[in-house]
């Protein structure tokens, strides 16, 4: 019995106290596993197990500004200061995908999945089946590009099978990744890979009325600091700093809205489109994301083929260009083709041709060049058959699936799936497949003619050297003439593979052109000029058609993301930048709230209540010092105001005079975890810290009055009812170090990681009843 009591996990039990090589600026626990991701001051990303075993370290090469986990814990999203959003595999740290979704530093990320099973209109559970596997083998992978380091093309190494699983949206619940940057842009992407919407808080207006005059409020110079999607994906809470200005509609006049309009504000955005249309969005994103993967396979295949063929042709031209030099040196006014035709016709061999064939080139040289060029041609054929053609075929099938969906206008027109644009993209996919088949015919013909030309050269060299040539392969004199006339100085394979600076049109005969026009009359396609385009140009057209087709849902969804409410939190003495705002601790979370649940089980809306907590800077109000504020019910308040009352509540929590709040985090069951430092008169590192858990829902909340004037700082209404934090009365753990931000808390695992000023990391078990955390994952 005593042994069982000793083995029980105690509240705030310290599990580890480990040294750090450098300070940590971002830390997040995996939502499903005992893994902690950290970002150091030098922007290295480290992944540790709960027992502090390091799994991997990666260096993105740029400053990391934000980080969050995919809801299933299998991938990590990283925001960089140049606006790049990168996804990494949790198993090995390899880059899965890299997207340039922003033009400024990504300050915050939030990845939320729908907690409800997807149902149809009759509330039957629906599961999306990817029908592609019925008709096609597994999707082709990106061909290996010589000299390319894994991840340089924005995708994982083709040798890792985990990429297919992680990128396959059919294995995931419907989820949305939200990212905000310092310029006020908020981007949304389904599964973290398919962009589906974007809004800028500078363009959002908040209607008000003042003395009967029409006016509205708008934020300028805004910087986003935190975003949080609700669990039903219906609302997005945004915390941002900026200037609140007033726009008079009639005159277009802009002026400051309040006495001090610069401050931290809270916005409530309506993102119900994600809930209302999640079935349609899930299916479109599933097809589109797979099409994007296959498009990358096509792009990489064309790039590899172009490089390999160019290298082979460089070897050919480098050797045969010396014949032109020999002709000039001998004072002859002829071309290499004319010299070779003379040799083929039985004329006397000229000195430069004799010297070139016998001395410069030789039998060994012909065989080497033939091996290089024909080997490159066979490699191109292999890439087409194993990568390029299968990818184009599956793209055509998936576009056909989307085309079928686009014709269901009642369901899919509302999310921007435009039938003409999808049909155009489907036609382009078919045209590309035709171009691939033509390329294979051209490549086969070119390889045949080069092989025939090299056989003839070997025969000539043997005859010039008076050696027997009976063992050599035969050649076709007519094909040699065609080669010298059309291929010796031209490269039709290169012309099909590369985008030229000048528009290059493939010549087609009149009979073929007339047949194409006749086929158009039967329907199925309308483009009569596709055979005049090269393979590379056709792929470029395909990408443009995809961009247009998928831009329409992006634009449609973006227009339906609207701002419902704005709540000014506290003023700031001067316009802060993103780095200064990180010193103000904030946290947003959602909890189940049965009292506010909707009467319909299937609407999914208003079944959770939001809690917004933040530290109030001492300089914001002269009469409010060392306070933490918790606001709840903000996202419901817009609906409540329409009914004539306010449901918004808030409480101020005063921190003891001899303590300072370092960071805070909302925890499960409406709890909040506070990280404090005890103030001392000595150096900063000499003080002790403490960690406190308190029940946020039990605090004495006060209803906040709301009016048409949204530019008033409402926190001053709470100063007389502020609650005092009594450390001795709460669940407290003393930390023998001066602590610093960030505080990393895992609600699913019941653990917290605290960082000390002296480069140490301390991991604590938060609750007595929490299941014992496993060391082996």
């Amino acid at each position: 019995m005593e042994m069982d009591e000793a083995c029980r996990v105690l509240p705030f039990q310290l599990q580890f106290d480990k040294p750090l090589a450098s300070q940590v600026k971002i830390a997040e626990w995996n939502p499903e596993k005992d893994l902690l991701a950290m970002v150091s001051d030098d922007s290295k990303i480290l992944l540790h197990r709960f027992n502090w075993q390091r799994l991997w370290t990666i260096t993105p090469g740029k400053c990391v500004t934000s980080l969050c986990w995919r809801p299933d814990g299998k991938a990590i999203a990283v925001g960089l200061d140049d606006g790049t959003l990168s996804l990494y595999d949790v198993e090995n740290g390899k880059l899965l995908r890299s997207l340039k979704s922003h033009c400024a530093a990504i300050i915050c990320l939030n990845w939320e999945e729908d907690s409800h099973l997807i149902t149809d209109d009759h509330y039957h559970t629906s599961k999306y089946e990817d029908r592609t596997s019925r008709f096609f083998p597994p999707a082709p992978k990106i061909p290996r590009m010589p000299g390319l380091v894994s991840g340089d093309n924005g995708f994982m190494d083709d040798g890792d099978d985990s990429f297919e699983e992680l990128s396959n949206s059919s294995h995931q619940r419907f989820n949305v990744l939200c990212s905000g940057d310092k310029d006020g842009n908020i981007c949304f992407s389904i599964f973290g890979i398919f962009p589906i919407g974007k809004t800028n808080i500078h363009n959002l207006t908040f209607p008000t009325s003042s003395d009967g005059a029409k006016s509205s409020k708008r934020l300028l110079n805004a910087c986003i600091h935190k975003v949080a999607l609700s669990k039903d994906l219906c609302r997005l809470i945004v915390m941002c700093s900026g200037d609140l200005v007033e726009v008079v509609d009639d005159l277009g006049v802009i002026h400051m809205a309040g006495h001090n309009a610069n401050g931290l504000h809270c916005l409530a955005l309506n993102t119900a489109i994600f809930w209302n249309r999640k079935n349609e969005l899930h299916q479109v994103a599933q097809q589109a994301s797979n099409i994007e993967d296959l498009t990358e396979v096509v792009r990489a295949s064309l790039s590899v083929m172009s490089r390999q063929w160019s290298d082979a042709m460089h070897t050919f031209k480098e050797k045969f260009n010396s014949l032109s030099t020999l002709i000039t040196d001998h004072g002859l006014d002829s071309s290499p083709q004319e010299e070779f035709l003379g040799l083929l016709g039985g004329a006397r061999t000229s000195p430069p041709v004799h010297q070139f064939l016998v001395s410069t080139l030789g039998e060994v040289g012909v065989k080497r060049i033939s091996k290089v060029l024909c080997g490159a041609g066979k490699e191109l054929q292999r890439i087409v058959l194993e990568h390029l053609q299968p990818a184009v075929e599956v793209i055509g099938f998936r576009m056909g699936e989307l085309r079928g969906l686009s014709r269901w206008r009642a369901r899919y027109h509302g999310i921007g799936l435009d039938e003409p644009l999808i049909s155009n993209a489907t036609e382009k996919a078919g045209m590309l497949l035709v171009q691939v088949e033509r390329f294979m015919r051209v490549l086969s013909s070119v390889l045949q003619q080069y092989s025939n030309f090299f056989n003839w050269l070997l025969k000539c060299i043997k005859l010039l050297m008076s050696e027997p040539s009976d063992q050599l392969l035969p050649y076709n004199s007519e094909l040699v003439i065609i080669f010298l006339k059309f291929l010796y100085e031209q490269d039709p394979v290169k012309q099909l593979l590369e985008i030229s600076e000048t528009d290059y049109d493939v010549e087609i005969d009149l009979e073929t052109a007339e047949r194409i026009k006749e086929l158009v009359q039967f329907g199925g396609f309308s483009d009569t000029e596709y055979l005049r385009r090269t393979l590379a140009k056709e792929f470029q057209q395909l990408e443009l058609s995809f961009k247009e087709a998928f831009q329409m849902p992006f634009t449609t969804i973006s227009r339906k993301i609207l701002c419902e409410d704005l709540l000014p939190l506290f003023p700031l003495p001067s316009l802060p930048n993103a780095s200064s705002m990180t010193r103000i601790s904030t946290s947003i979370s959602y909890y189940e709230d049965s009292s506010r649940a909707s009467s319909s089980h299937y609407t999914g809306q208003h079944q959770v209540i939001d809690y917004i907590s933040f530290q109030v800077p001492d300089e914001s109000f002269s009469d409010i010092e060392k306070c933490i504020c918790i606001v709840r019910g903000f996202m419901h308040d817009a609906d409540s105001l329409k009914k004539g009352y306010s449901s918004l509540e808030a409480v101020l929590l005063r921190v003891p005079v001899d303590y300072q709040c370092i960071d805070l985090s909302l925890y499960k069951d409406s709890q909040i975890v506070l990280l404090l430092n005890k103030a001392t008169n000595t150096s900063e590192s000499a003080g002790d810290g403490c960690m406190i858990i308190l029940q946020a829902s039990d605090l004495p909340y006060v209803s906040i009055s709301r009016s048409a004037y949204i530019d008033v700082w409402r926190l001053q209404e709470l100063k007389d009812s502020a609650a005092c934090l009594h450390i001795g009365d709460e669940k407290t753990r003393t930390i023998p170090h001066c602590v610093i931000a960030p505080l990393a808390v895992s609600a699913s695992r019941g653990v917290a990681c605290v960082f000390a000023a002296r480069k140490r990391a301390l991991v604590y078990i938060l609750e007595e009843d929490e299941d014992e955390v496993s060391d082996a994952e």
Side-chain angles (χ1 to χ4, degrees):
M1 186 70 178
E2 293 179 358
M3 179 62 67
D4 293 342
E5 191 71 24
C7 292
R8 182 185 299 174
V9 179
L10 300 177
F12 290 118
Q13 179 179 349
L14 176 64
Q15 297 299 297
F16 300 102
D17 184 349
K18 299 291 185 179
L20 297 170
S22 60
Q23 290 292 10
V24 172
K25 61 180 181 180
I26 304 173
E28 293 287 344
W29 286 98
N30 187 300
E32 296 294 331
K33 301 179 181 180
D34 297 325
L35 300 174
L36 178 65
M38 298 174 288
V39 180
S40 61
D41 280 343
D42 53 357
S43 285
K44 291 181 180 179
I45 305 174
L46 306 92
L47 185 69
H48 283 248
R49 293 183 186 271
F50 176 74
N51 61 7
W52 215 247
Q53 175 192 0
R54 183 181 299 186
L55 297 181
W56 46 254
T57 301
I58 54 178
T59 306
K62 297 181 178 66
C63 179
V64 178
T65 52
S66 55
L67 179 146
C68 79
W69 288 93
R70 199 168 79 176
D72 61 6
K74 294 183 178 180
I76 227 174
V78 175
L80 305 179
D81 63 347
D82 67 345
T84 301
L85 179 62
S86 301
L87 305 183
Y88 292 92
D89 180 14
V90 67
E91 294 296 331
N92 46 34
K94 287 188 176 180
L95 181 67
L96 296 174
R97 193 180 295 264
S98 186
L99 306 172
K100 194 70 167 65
S101 53
H102 294 263
C103 296
I106 301 176
I107 302 300
C108 54
L109 293 167
N110 178 239
W111 207 335
E112 194 67 46
E113 74 176 1
D114 175 36
S115 56
H116 301 79
L117 292 176
I118 293 180
T119 56
D120 57 21
D121 291 341
H122 302 286
Y123 309 127
H124 298 145
T125 301
S126 61
K127 181 180 179 181
Y128 294 126
E129 178 190 4
D130 191 352
R131 302 195 306 164
T132 312
S133 58
R134 293 188 188 180
F135 310 102
F136 298 93
K141 298 179 181 179
I142 296 175
R144 187 178 299 277
M145 186 176 296
L148 180 65
V149 179
S150 174
D152 285 357
N153 59 352
F155 280 75
M156 181 185 284
D157 189 348
D158 61 314
D160 201 315
D161 293 333
S162 60
F163 169 71
E164 181 178 354
E165 178 186 354
L166 289 167
S167 63
N168 192 341
S169 55
S170 61
H171 297 314
Q172 302 180 47
R173 284 178 178 264
F174 181 72
N175 60 70
V176 178
L177 174 61
C178 178
S179 55
D181 65 33
K182 69 175 185 179
D183 286 347
N185 295 297
I186 304 174
C187 295
F188 304 87
S189 56
I190 300 176
F191 309 123
I193 56 180
F194 179 60
I196 195 58
K198 182 178 182 179
T199 188
N200 187 295
I201 58 178
H202 296 130
N203 301 327
L204 302 176
T205 57
F206 319 102
T208 62
S209 59
S210 176
D211 298 332
K214 293 182 179 180
S215 65
S216 61
K217 298 294 190 298
R218 180 176 293 177
L219 282 170
L220 296 181
N221 304 317
C223 176
I224 298 174
H225 303 292
K226 191 175 288 292
V227 292
L229 274 168
S230 60
K231 297 182 184 299
D232 57 8
L233 308 179
C234 290
R235 297 289 191 277
L236 176 72
I237 292 180
V238 182
M239 297 186 75
C240 59
S241 59
D243 295 324
L244 188 62
V245 299
E246 184 174 6
V247 181
V248 181
D249 295 336
D250 293 339
L251 303 176
V253 178
I254 297 178
H255 59 81
M256 302 307 289
H259 180 68
N260 182 7
N262 176 41
L264 188 72
H265 309 272
C266 199
L267 309 181
L269 302 189
N270 185 335
T271 58
I273 184 67
F274 295 136
W275 168 267
N276 297 332
R277 293 294 184 179
K278 66 177 180 178
N279 292 9
E280 294 84 353
L281 290 172
H282 189 134
Q283 197 157 4
V284 171
Q286 177 176 309
Q287 296 291 353
S289 58
N290 280 280
I291 288 172
E292 185 177 344
D293 292 342
L294 293 166
T295 302
E296 186 63 27
V297 173
V298 176
R299 183 184 298 107
S301 298
L302 293 176
S303 179
V304 172
M305 292 163 59
S306 178
R307 179 180 298 185
Q308 292 191 348
W309 184 255
S310 296
D311 292 344
M313 290 304 298
H314 176 75
T315 302
F316 173 82
K317 292 179 179 178
E318 185 180 34
K319 202 68 174 178
F320 278 79
N321 283 344
S322 60
L323 176 58
S324 300
T325 304
L326 290 174
I327 294 174
T328 304
D329 293 344
H330 283 79
L332 299 179
D333 186 16
S334 60
S335 64
Q337 295 96 310
E338 292 172 339
E339 293 293 330
F340 281 133
L341 286 173
L343 179 62
L344 180 65
R348 186 177 65 87
T349 306
S350 64
V353 172
H354 188 282
Q355 181 180 349
F356 173 74
L357 293 178
V358 175
S359 303
T360 305
L361 187 61
E363 182 181 353
V364 176
V366 172
K367 291 182 178 179
R368 185 178 68 86
I369 296 174
S370 176
K371 181 179 180 180
V372 170
L373 202 144
C374 294
K378 291 180 180 179
E379 180 63 17
L380 262 62
Q381 290 175 330
R382 185 193 67 81
I383 293 175
V384 170
L385 294 176
E386 295 182 4
H387 300 275
L388 178 60
Q389 185 170 337
V392 176
E393 289 173 349
V394 178
I395 286 175
F397 178 81
R398 291 191 178 279
M399 286 306 306
E401 296 278 88
L402 285 177
R403 186 179 183 181
L405 296 179
S406 68
R407 292 180 174 178
W408 195 354
R409 292 179 58 86
R411 292 185 67 94
Y412 291 91
H413 184 72
I415 62 170
L417 202 62
D418 186 78
E419 182 181 353
L421 292 178
I422 294 294
S423 297
N424 177 61
T426 306
E427 179 179 325
K428 295 297 182 186
M431 297 298 100
L432 183 61
L433 186 58
V434 174
Q435 292 279 11
V436 171
E437 294 175 351
R438 180 177 69 173
F439 173 81
M440 287 293 282
R441 293 196 300 270
V442 171
L443 178 61
S444 178
S445 175
V446 168
L447 290 178
Q448 179 186 3
Q449 295 192 53
Y450 267 104
S451 179
N452 183 77
F453 176 66
F454 290 138
N455 291 338
W456 174 69
L457 286 181
L458 287 174
K459 186 83 170 181
C460 293
I461 292 173
K462 288 289 188 180
L463 292 175
L464 291 175
M465 299 179 67
S466 301
E467 295 180 357
S469 58
D470 298 338
Q471 303 297 324
L472 296 178
L473 295 174
Y475 66 89
N476 186 310
S477 299
E478 186 176 344
L479 288 181
V480 174
I481 296 174
I482 294 175
F483 175 86
L484 294 172
K485 185 176 180 180
F486 296 105
L487 291 181
Y488 187 83
E489 288 187 346
Q490 299 181 35
D491 190 352
V493 175
K494 178 181 178 181
Q495 291 171 342
L496 291 176
L497 286 176
E498 296 183 358
I499 297 289
S500 59
E501 296 180 359
T502 59
D503 289 337
Y504 171 76
D505 290 336
V506 180
E507 295 183 3
I508 59 174
D509 56 83
L510 291 176
E511 183 181 358
T512 302
E514 290 299 324
R515 286 182 178 178
I516 293 176
K517 292 180 180 179
E518 292 175 0
L519 288 174
V520 170
Q521 304 301 322
F522 290 95
F525 72 99
S526 58
D527 186 358
T528 60
E529 299 295 321
Y530 70 95
L531 284 181
R532 299 185 185 276
R533 294 191 291 269
T534 65
L535 176 60
K537 187 69 175 178
E538 195 66 53
F539 177 64
Q540 190 180 60
Q541 295 264 330
L542 178 71
E543 287 191 297
L544 289 175
S545 68
F546 285 168
K547 184 177 180 180
E548 291 177 354
F550 296 141
Q551 181 66 30
M552 186 61 71
F554 181 90
T555 304
T556 302
I557 299 301
S558 298
R559 291 172 179 168
K560 296 186 178 183
I561 298 174
L562 305 174
C563 185
E564 292 187 332
D565 202 1
L566 178 143
L567 176 67
L569 298 177
F570 55 77
L572 293 170
S574 60
L575 185 64
N577 53 35
S579 61
S580 65
M581 276 302 301
T582 56
R583 294 194 296 268
I584 300 178
S585 304
T586 59
S587 182
I588 305 174
S589 190
Y590 298 87
Y591 303 105
E592 294 293 333
D593 183 36
S594 58
S595 64
R596 298 175 186 263
S598 173
S599 57
S600 173
H601 175 68
Y602 298 102
T603 61
Q605 300 186 28
H606 308 313
Q607 295 184 15
V608 294
I609 184 171
D610 56 283
Y611 277 70
I612 305 168
S613 61
F614 52 91
Q615 180 185 1
V616 182
D618 292 346
E619 59 269 21
S620 295
F621 302 101
S622 59
D623 50 355
I624 298 179
E625 294 182 351
K626 290 198 171 187
C627 282
I628 297 167
C629 183
I630 304 175
V631 179
R632 68 178 180 184
F634 175 56
M635 73 177 184
H636 302 291
D637 200 48
D639 296 330
S640 300
L641 287 175
K642 296 177 182 178
K643 300 176 183 178
Y645 66 94
S646 173
S647 62
L648 188 65
E649 297 178 320
V651 62
L652 280 179
L653 188 63
R654 294 189 185 275
V655 177
V657 178
D658 53 343
Y659 282 89
Q660 179 184 7
C661 180
I662 301 301
D663 204 355
L664 53 84
S665 177
L666 286 163
Y667 188 47
K668 61 182 180 180
D669 300 328
S670 304
Q671 294 177 320
I672 185 171
V673 181
L674 304 178
L675 187 63
L676 309 179
N677 260 342
K678 192 169 185 179
T680 63
N681 296 325
T682 59
S683 63
E684 179 185 358
S685 60
D688 290 336
C690 69
M691 185 165 50
I692 304 174
I693 293 184
L694 59 119
Q695 192 66 40
S697 58
D698 294 340
L699 295 174
Y701 287 90
V702 176
S703 178
I704 297 182
S705 62
R706 305 295 301 277
S707 67
Y709 299 96
I710 63 172
D711 55 332
V712 179
W713 307 109
R714 299 294 178 184
L715 294 191
Q716 289 182 308
E717 302 175 8
L718 306 174
K719 62 180 181 179
D720 295 333
S721 58
C724 295
L725 175 63
H726 300 288
I727 295 180
D729 298 338
E730 305 295 342
K731 201 174 182 180
T732 307
R733 170 71 187 227
T734 302
I735 302 173
H737 299 280
C738 174
V739 293
I740 60 174
L743 168 65
V745 177
S746 171
S748 61
R749 297 294 171 175
V751 296
C753 185
V754 177
F755 299 94
R758 291 179 175 176
K759 296 184 180 180
R760 301 197 68 84
L762 299 90
V763 178
Y764 291 92
I765 298 292
L766 292 182
E767 297 190 34
E768 182 176 2
D769 294 333
E770 190 68 35
D771 292 336
E772 185 175 355
V773 179
S774 173
D775 289 345
E777 281 288 340

